[in-house]
């Protein structure tokens, strides 16, 4: 089998996994697709990621054409729309798009929504003022190709905001050896690190990758003014003191989430 065929096979597994487990549903106890469900997903997201409003700036793009790649349930996309952006949401999985559409329809908020692969975006060059993708491109086999696509569809002078997992983080340094000792890192075609990262999004998640700052900057080399911010969500499985110490002392140096912001040169 060729490398491309392997990658397509892996992407099919990625699609099946996220279609069966749309991102965010794991934290909700209400029936999928109801108003209560979307409210619960939103409450959970921004209470465990309280930095999002400031870091991402949902209300800074009024009047701009904004594309979200891998929008999942559309929770962030909805905030951008509320902030006045004209939004397009894409995801690899029909289930996420169906749910995200239901969310917007329920609120009477307009959005263009479609199933699309980050590695082959169905848009003309220079179509958007902003491209946003949070926690997505490390799940696709060819992350570099997806970043090239984001660059292609962004207009010159446009803004990109990406979140990728960060390799040199407490999550990796402390967790990976523990998981390895406990025998939880299964053998397979992925490296031990990728196997550990994969599990962060569920035992059956087929693919997860993490990058150093310099690796991420290399993939973003065509963009200018690239700035990197590290952060961590508040994790419910850890005690409040542990979360507080992490947020105050470690997250900004050794966080597992790496947010990259840049511009396409004008
Ligand atoms: C961890 S979830 C993040 C969803 C959303 N951005 C959020 O923060 O809630 C990963 C998402 O990436 C999507 N995804 C994975 N590979 C993709 C690809 N090649 N193209 C588009 N979406 C993809 C999955 O379907 C899933 O919805």
């Amino acid at each position: 089998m060729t490398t491309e065929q392997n990658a397509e096979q892996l992407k099919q597994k990625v699609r099946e996994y996220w279609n069966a487990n749309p991102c965010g549903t794991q934290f909700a106890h209400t029936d999928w697709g109801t108003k209560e469900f979307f409210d619960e997903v939103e409450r959970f997201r921004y209470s465990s990621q309280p930095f999002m409003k400031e870091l991402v700036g949902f209300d800074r793009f009024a009047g701009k054409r904004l594309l979200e790649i891998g929008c999942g349930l559309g929770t962030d996309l909805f905030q951008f729309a509320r902030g006045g952006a004209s939004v397009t949401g894409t995801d690899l999985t029909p289930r996420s798009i169906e749910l995200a559409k239901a969310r917007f329809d329920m609120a009477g908020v307009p959005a263009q929504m479609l199933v699309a692969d980050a590695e082959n975006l169905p848009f003309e060059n220079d179509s958007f003022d902003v491209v946003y993708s949070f926690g997505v491109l490390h799940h696709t086999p060819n992350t570099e190709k997806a970043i090239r696509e984001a660059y292609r569809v962004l207009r010159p002078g446009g803004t990109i905001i990406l979140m990728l997992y960060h390799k040199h983080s407490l999550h990796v340094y402390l967790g990976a050896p523990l998981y390895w000792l406990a025998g939880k890192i299964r053998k397979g075609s992925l490296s031990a690190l990728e196997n550990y990262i994969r599990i962060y999004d569920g035992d059956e998640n087929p693919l997860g990758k993490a990058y150093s700052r310099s690796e991420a900057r290399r993939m973003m080399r065509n963009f200018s003014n690239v700035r990197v911010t590290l952060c961590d969500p508040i994790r419910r499985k850890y005690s409040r003191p542990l979360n507080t110490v992490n947020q105050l002392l470690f997250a900004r140096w050794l966080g597992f989430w790496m947010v990259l912001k840049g511009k396409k040169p004008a």
Side-chain angles (χ1 to χ4, degrees), residues 3-114:
T3 319
E4 278 99 58
Q5 284 167 331
N6 271 330
E8 272 317 304
Q9 215 172 56
L10 182 55
K11 199 183 291 167
Q12 182 54 24
K13 288 189 188 151
V14 171
R15 186 182 287 112
E16 283 163 15
Y17 176 75
W18 290 109
N19 204 48
N21 307 280
C23 193
T25 55
Q26 69 273 39
F27 307 117
H29 304 93
T30 35
D31 289 340
W32 293 11
T34 60
K35 172 151 187 348
E36 293 69 35
F37 166 78
F38 292 120
D39 288 347
E40 191 185 3
V41 168
E42 186 169 317
R43 256 195 322 273
F44 181 87
R45 185 173 183 88
Y46 302 119
S47 60
S48 52
Q49 302 169 212
F51 45 80
M52 290 294 279
K53 193 166 185 275
E54 184 51 38
L55 182 61
V56 172
F58 294 121
D59 54 4
R60 285 180 211 142
F61 303 106
K64 305 285 185 202
R65 298 160 300 168
L66 182 141
L67 168 68
E68 179 166 3
I69 301 173
C71 66
L73 301 178
T75 317
D76 286 353
L77 193 68
F78 196 72
Q79 313 311 312
F80 285 116
R82 267 187 188 150
S86 159
V87 301
T88 300
T90 60
D91 199 278
L92 190 59
T93 67
R95 191 79 179 107
S96 290
I97 289 301
E98 201 179 289
L99 284 164
K101 245 188 201 154
R103 177 192 184 89
F104 277 76
D105 288 351
M106 213 174 273
V109 173
Q112 190 193 5
M113 215 71 90
L114 60 157

Side-chain angles (χ1 to χ4, degrees), residues 66 75 83 108 130 166 179 226 234:
L66 182 141
T75 317
V130 186
H166 178 226
Y179 268 60
V226 175
I234 292 164

Side-chain angles (χ1 to χ4, degrees), residues 210-223:
Y211 300 93
S212 66
R213 294 177 213 220
S214 53
E215 285 167 342
R217 280 182 179 281
R218 212 169 304 133
M219 290 194 294
M220 303 267 299
R221 61 189 167 276
N222 292 332
F223 294 92

